Amino acid sequence: MNIERVMTEYQSALRAFLLSRVGTSADSDDLVQEVLIKTFQNLHTLEDPAKLKPWLFRIAQNVLMDHYRRKARGAGLTAEDLWHAEDSEEAHAFEGCVEPFLKVLPDEAAALLRAVDLDGRPQKDYAAQLGI
């Protein structure tokens, strides 16, 4: 088993699989490259060549999850990107949307969220008040 055969046989299927999940060809091309690099680095660990395709698509799935984890971490965000960085009327307007959800929570959880998230109390102060 060699990487050239893997690339020739599965590259287009991998690209289609990844494109259907990320939506842009640039992202899918980058992810295909990541998959092929990981395949090259780990091809020697494949015990059964008959299971190459599921093994390869498991790598692709893992690369895809890593991609979304990186995006979720907000790489490259600055303070200017955060709409809630400023204390504005727009930010406070959303507080009313939270109230119905707080009403269905246990009293202790609702009080915590009100104090810390809505009233802006520091977590340490709230914890000290409760003796935590």
Side-chain angles (χ1 to χ4, degrees):
M1 184 71 48
N2 63 31
I3 193 67
E4 290 84 14
R5 177 177 165 240
V6 172
M7 285 177 58
T8 303
E9 198 166 329
Y10 294 104
Q11 189 168 3
S12 61
L14 284 169
R15 181 171 284 112
F17 171 77
L18 293 166
L19 181 60
S20 71
R21 283 153 178 81
V22 294
T24 66
S25 60
D27 283 345
S28 66
D29 288 344
D30 290 344
L31 295 176
V32 167
Q33 292 304 313
E34 276 189 60
V35 170
L36 293 176
I37 289 168
K38 290 182 185 289
T39 302
F40 176 74
Q41 292 170 336
N42 297 295
L43 193 57
H44 67 279
T45 65
L46 179 64
E47 295 175 7
D48 184 359
K51 295 181 180 179
L52 173 65
K53 186 174 181 178
W55 180 80
L56 192 59
F57 279 84
R58 172 51 55 196
I59 291 173
Q61 187 67 37
N62 292 341
V63 164
L64 188 61
M65 286 190 294
D66 291 343
H67 168 75
Y68 281 112
R69 283 185 188 120
R70 285 189 301 268
K71 281 181 84 168
R73 286 188 198 123
L77 283 181
T78 64
E80 293 81 36
D81 295 327
L82 302 174
W83 64 269
H84 58 79
E86 300 174 16
D87 193 22
S88 64
E89 278 188 40
E90 292 86 18
H92 289 288
F94 288 108
E95 291 175 2
C97 299
V98 175
E99 194 60 39
F101 296 104
L102 291 177
K103 288 181 181 178
V104 298
L105 289 174
D107 291 339
E108 187 176 290
L112 167 69
L113 290 174
R114 273 192 191 92
V116 174
D117 290 324
L118 297 180
D119 298 338
R121 276 185 73 190
Q123 291 179 7
K124 281 187 175 185
D125 292 350
Y126 191 76
Q129 176 189 345
L130 296 177
I132 299 175

